[in-house]
């Protein structure tokens, strides 16, 4: 969205109009549906003068970037995660995935590890953070049980979901690794932080540290 031009296959710079943007959106959606995480690369020319005056950001907003290309990164589920998710579900634990990924990637990964199932009613099962945030408290209470995946979410959305589930009388366990997760980890009945990727703040805010960062260990 921050780009106003792109290079075609021959290296010729062209305007990135709405039609071209749609083509790139389709490519991104296709990659994401194959559970690839997408990263766009872009650049712009900045004069020395601008660099000295810290005005690059302003310039980017005004003039836009030139898109170089898109990369899809495969981040597969670990072996044993699908089985661990199933074990939790069979034991009466309702699993929700809260992620910063876009909705297509989130859906694909959640399906891959069994959080979303093909035969289930999908209406209301997948939401974006902004949608969840903008519900009225009454709407949130009504819809929260049905949500399996929350995509494009912020740490505040994660905290909001924990608070909402607790209000409904659920016992809530939260996994997290970043400093931003610390509030949700504290608010949960059980906070589970990651031993390898987890920050010290996340570990201090949690009740349990998962030493191998593996969901199968959470299930155990």
């Amino acid at each position: 969205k921050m780009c106003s031009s792109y290079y075609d296959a021959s290296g010729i710079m062209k305007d990135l109009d709405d039609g071209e943007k749609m083509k790139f959106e389709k490519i991104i959606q296709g990659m994401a549906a194959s559970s690839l995480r997408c990263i766009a690369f872009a650049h712009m020319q900045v004069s020395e003068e601008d660099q000295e005056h810290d005005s690059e950001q302003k310039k980017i907003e005004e003039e836009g970037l030139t898109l170089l290309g898109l990369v899809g990164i495969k981040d597969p589920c670990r072996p044993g995660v699908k089985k661990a998710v199933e074990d939790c579900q069979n034991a009466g634990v309702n699993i929700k995935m809260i992620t910063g990924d876009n909705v297509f990637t989130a859906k694909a990964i959640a399906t891959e590890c069994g959080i979303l199932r093909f035969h289930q009613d999908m209406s209301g099962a997948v939401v974006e953070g902004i949608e969840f945030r903008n519900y009225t408290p009454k709407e949130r209470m009504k819809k929260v049980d049905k949500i399996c995946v929350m995509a494009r979410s912020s740490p505040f959305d994660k905290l909001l979901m924990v608070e909402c589930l607790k209000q409904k009388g659920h016992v809530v366990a939260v996994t997290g690794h970043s400093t931003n997760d610390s509030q949700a980890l504290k608010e949960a009945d059980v906070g589970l932080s990651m031993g390898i990727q987890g920050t010290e703040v996340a570990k201090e805010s949690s009740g349990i540290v998962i030493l191998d960062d593996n969901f199968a260990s959470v299930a155990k």
Side-chain angles (χ1 to χ4, degrees), residues 26-87:
K26 288 261 162 55
I27 293 167
I28 291 166
Q29 285 176 19
M31 282 177 163
S34 307
S35 67
L36 295 173
R37 288 205 161 100
C38 296
I39 299 175
F41 287 89
H43 80 141
M44 72 178 301
Q45 298 252 271
V46 181
S47 70
E48 270 185 64
E49 203 180 310
D50 279 335
Q51 278 183 317
E52 281 164 19
H53 291 101
D54 282 339
S55 58
E56 295 104 309
Q57 191 57 43
K58 190 168 184 286
K59 204 168 174 202
I60 286 167
E61 283 162 17
E62 283 170 6
E63 293 177 27
L65 294 156
T66 301
L67 184 68
L68 296 169
L70 303 165
V71 173
I73 298 174
K74 182 74 177 160
D75 189 5
C77 285
R78 288 183 184 208
V81 167
K82 193 169 185 178
K83 171 81 169 67
V85 167
E86 205 176 297
D87 288 346

Side-chain angles (χ1 to χ4, degrees), residues 58-213:
K58 190 168 184 286
K59 204 168 174 202
I60 286 167
E61 283 162 17
E62 283 170 6
E63 293 177 27
L65 294 156
T66 301
L67 184 68
L68 296 169
L70 303 165
V71 173
I73 298 174
K74 182 74 177 160
D75 189 5
C77 285
R78 288 183 184 208
V81 167
K82 193 169 185 178
K83 171 81 169 67
V85 167
E86 205 176 297
D87 288 346
C88 286
Q89 288 166 338
N90 291 339
V93 180
N94 185 359
I95 295 178
K96 300 182 187 297
M97 180 171 131
I98 302 171
T99 175
D101 284 339
N102 78 35
V103 77
F104 299 98
T105 308
K107 261 188 195 175
I109 293 170
T111 305
E112 202 179 313
C113 65
I115 291 171
L116 281 179
R117 298 180 184 187
F118 290 112
H119 60 265
Q120 79 183 75
D121 173 18
M122 292 289 277
S123 62
V126 182
V127 296
E128 285 199 342
I130 192 164
E131 194 183 332
F132 185 73
R133 211 177 308 151
N134 291 333
Y135 286 152
T136 63
K138 200 175 174 182
E139 274 180 315
R140 255 197 303 277
M141 290 292 273
K142 189 181 167 193
K143 295 180 179 188
V144 72
D145 283 324
K146 191 88 194 288
I147 296 167
C148 295
V149 175
M150 183 154 68
R152 282 264 179 258
S153 70
S154 71
F156 172 73
D157 301 324
K158 196 169 187 173
L159 179 63
L160 202 57
M161 181 173 267
V162 174
E163 289 170 343
C164 190
L165 289 165
K166 280 180 78 175
Q167 276 173 19
K168 288 199 85 168
H170 293 294
V171 175
V172 184
V174 165
T175 62
H177 70 275
S178 75
T179 301
N180 290 337
D181 290 327
S182 59
Q183 278 182 294
L185 288 165
K186 266 184 193 159
E187 181 65 27
D189 294 291
V190 185
L192 300 132
S193 62
M194 300 297 123
I196 302 166
Q197 286 186 44
T199 62
E200 285 310 308
V201 175
K203 289 176 195 176
E204 281 164 23
S205 304
S206 64
I208 297 171
V209 177
I210 302 296
L211 296 175
D212 61 359
D213 288 16

